[in-house]
Structure formats: structure tokens, C-alpha cells
Amino acid sequence: MTMATNRSDKKIGGEDEDGDVTSGGTLTPGEEARDGDSSKGGTKVSEGQDGKDEDKDEVLGDGESGAGCTCCPVRYCIIALMCIGMVLINAMRTNVGFTVMTILDETAHEKVGTLQALINLQRLGLPNVNWDTRMIGFLHSVFYMGYLITHLPAGYLATRIPCHRLYGGSILLSSALNLLLPVSIDEISFVFTCIIRFLQGLSEGLLYPSCYGILRHWSTPQERGRLGSAVLTGAYAGAVIGFPLAGFITHFIGWQYIYYVNGGAGVLWMLVWVLMSSEKPSHHRLISDSELQYLQKSQGSQVVDFQESWLPWKRIITSPAVISICICHFARNWVFILMLTNEPFYLSLFGFNIAENGMYSSLPHILKVVLSFVSGYIADYLLIKSKLRTGTVRKLLTGIAFGVQTLSFFILTFVWQKVPVIVFLTIGVGFGGLAVSGWQINHYDLSTRHASFLVAVTSTIGVIGAIAAPLVAGELTINEDLDGWRHVFYITIGVVAVAAILFIILGSGEEQPWATPPEHIRLVQKTDPLAKRPYKTYTVQGSKRPVEVKKADDVAAEKDSDNDVVAPAKDDSREGVSVTDEAKSTS
């Protein structure tokens, strides 16, 4: 295979005005060609704030060139497939929630709109089990118990295993297990059904850490708000598709088939994902040179991997900004999982038939999808046009989202008519979508390099809310009346309000001090033999000493172990690396 022109991406460490370690300037592919013959020395390094501003302007100016020669940039195809994967996995989560509604509602067989639907229900039947709300609450929660167990390990695995494999494997395994649920529910036992749901939770615990790991490489800082919200919107779009589809299939065909349709779709998605995805842009066989160059220039050193592992986990878990995101994640999961698992049961108390229940259950999630998608553009507009600080934008969107949710759930505690309930339930759940570009994307603001681990930490706390919400709802609604739901909404109000207040007080939009290696840590950039355009040099990072760029053969000479990475041959044409006057003076 013909090798394309080699590219190098060098990060020069330095100090900011406060003496803290900063990322400094970057040497990006293509600069040599603009400054002269690429075989000559004298590559220019920009450093300090002025250099960063120039690089930013240049990147924004080259945004259109990122498309390359293709009709659609490869990164957009990756993002679209990730979004579809999120839709499928969250549509599957509605399956059990809709099925248990038909178990709890003793008149479900009467709530059909046509004679043919009644004949189908009589022929195919509904699940022949006798489960109460406590058992169903545990069935929902056991999924998130498995989800909790794999979340922190997933954050570590995302730094060791290609994230696109973790992401695809998570969806494939959960989809395969979904195909077993109809037989388990109707013919085996409650315990076996819980085991399957627990295994699904273990599988899906890999989903979000791997998702953020993929976004780290396949999005630029300028596009991260929009692309990140596009992927995370898929989580909410799953309910938009899942609830009506479950209602239609249960109403006209049979409840078992909702599991077969969703599980089969997940398996088919995996086949496409295997063909189209790759860990990094430099590994993708279809990406154009111009798009790869655009991504590398925009991302800088934040996507560089190192031979030695360095993870300041103690400082991360004690960071006030991270703690505030953890509380927000708890509140988000409380509301989202409460509605995902119990919304059809709640609406069944108002006398809707099965098909109507599925349709009305999707309305809050439709609004949530719209606002989630729009939130990315709102955030980008406020950051670029209004020039608001990143932290201010994150807090503003989160405050509006949680504030409207708190007010809506309060109104639901004393509203009992069909239409007002649908309206305020839609507003309350839907406005949570604004938080996607609030606290949910805030992980990248704190540290792009550690985003996967940050998501693992915050999601671990968030999953506690996902476990607690179905259990609390199952206990408080044991009498299957609206009075029990009033108490559920009171607790929800408190959870959401506390999260909003703490994020406004403790949240931050700035890169944290622990995001950059301290001065005694010397990290050597790792080469990747699978990359389409491999790096030619190692870069020493995290030193407050004068700028030092290690050549690959120099690093190799210092290694004593046979397990060290073999560096490429020395390239004398690359020795002339010049630095700014400020860097020279420090030496």
C-alpha cells in the first residue's frame, strides 16, 4: 500500500501567566507546506495566547475545507451512526416499560380501538404473569445495578481499548439479549428475566464512556457542542420511536414482537458500524487528506495518546466542578428513567387505550429531542456571537432546563385532567433537553483528555438515581392511584432543584488544573502503527523546564526494555525546529 505523506503533530509545553502548565502551541500538519519546502527545517512554533488566537482563527477559516472531496465528511457519518445507535439502545429500554403497563393494567385487553386488535389480543394474549409494582420496580432497577458495575471500569477500558469497539459491542450484546426477553417473561420466570436485564445493564454500562471517547477524536472544539448534542439527542429520540412503536405493535400484532423488532435492528446496525467506523480519523480508510488535516489542526494536543498512563483520579473525584456534574447526572437519570420505565403506567390511569398510551408517552420525548438538538446551536451562538464565558452558557442552559422541570412537576401534583397532564408532562420532561449543551457537554470543558473517565465517574453517581427512581415509584404507587404519583413528583421536584442550585454554585466552564500533567511527569507521545498517517516524533509533555522536543531515535536510545515502541528512523530534515524568542530566553 502506498503510504501518504508523513505527518507530525508536536505539542510544546510551556507556562501561562500564573506559572501553571499549559498546552502551548502545536505543530500541525500542513504548516511546513505553507512556510516553505517540507523537507527543510525551520518549522515555526506559535506559543502563548497570541498564537492560540491565530490558530483558532485559522481553524475557523478552514472549516469548509474539512469536508474534503467527499459529498459528506466522514466525521458526520460517524456521528450519524452513533446517534442511530443511541436511538436503538434507548428504544429497547422502553420495551419492558410498555410491557409491564399491560401487566399492571387489568383492563388493558379492553383498551383497543378496533375489532381486529381485540382478536389479535385474544389470539396472542398478554403476558401471563402476576407481578405487582414492587416486583416491576425491582425489574427496572436491576438493569441499572448492572449498568453501575461496569461504568467505572468502562472509563478505564476506554483508555486501553478502541472506543468504537466498546460502543459497538455494547449495543450488539444488549440487542442479542433483548431477543430472549419475550420467552423469559411469558414462559420462564421473573428471576430469569431479572438476570437478562442485569446482563443488559452490564453491557450498556460501556455505552457512554466509549461514546465520549469516540467524540474526543471525531469532533473539533468548534463543532463539539453541535455534534455532541446530536449524538446525545439520540438517547431521547429512542423514547420518541420506542413508545409509539411499542404501542402500535402491541395493539395490532402482539407484545412479543416489540423485542424482536428492536433487537433485530440493533444487530443490523452493528454490521454497518463494523464496516464504517474506526477508532480515530487517522485510521479511517475513506477519510480525505483535507478533512484529516482539518481535524488535527482543530484538535491540537488534546487527542494525543501517551505511552505511559497518567490519570489524576483523586483530584478528579474531589473536584467541585465534577461533583456538581455528578449531582446533575443523578437528577437527569432520576427524571429520565422514571419516565422511561413508568410513564405508560402513569398515563394508563387516565383511561387511554394502548395505542393512545404509546403515542402520548412519546410527546414529552419529542420535545426533548427538539430542544436537545437546538441546544447545541444555542450554546454555539452564545459562545461565539454573544461572547459569553463557557461556564456562564453551561449554567444558563442547565438552570433553564431544571427550573422549568421543577415548575412543571409541581403543577402535576395538583392537576388531574387529561389534557393539562399531557401538556405539563411534555413541558417538564421536554425542557430537560436544554441541559444537553449545559452540564452534559461540560465534561469536555473541564478536560478533553480525561472526558471518558469523567463520564464514567459522573455516570456512576447518575446510575444511583436510575436505580432509585423505579424502586421509589414502585413503592409509592403500590395502590396504583394518582395520590401515589403526587408523592413521586414531590421527591422529583426536590432532586431537580438541588441539582440546579449546586451546578450554578460549583459548576465551571474552564479547563481544570488537573487536566494538564504536573512538572515532574514526562509523557512521551505514543506512535500508532495502524494509523493511516503515523506520527514521526515523540513529544515530551508536562514539563515547566525549557521546551524540549525528543526525537524518536533519542527516546528509543534511552529505553532499556525490549517491550518499548520501536521508533522510526531518524529524519535529519526535521531537526530544525525553531521556537519563539520567549522560549529561547528561558533556555
Side-chain angles (χ1 to χ4, degrees), residues 111-124:
K111 296 178 179 179
V112 292
T114 65
L115 178 61
Q116 184 61 44
L118 179 60
I119 294 173
N120 288 338
L121 284 178
Q122 291 174 342
R123 178 172 59 88
L124 298 172

Side-chain angles (χ1 to χ4, degrees), residues 13-15 519-522 540 542-548 586:
E15 299 181 13
E519 63 179 24
H520 65 278
I521 299 293
R522 300 176 68 226
V540 175
S543 175
K544 286 186 177 180
R545 294 185 296 275
V547 175
E548 179 184 13
T586 60

Side-chain angles (χ1 to χ4, degrees), residues 381-392:
Y381 176 82
L382 293 176
L383 289 170
I384 298 173
K385 300 296 183 180
S386 299
K387 300 186 183 302
L388 293 178
R389 296 174 64 88
T390 302
T392 303

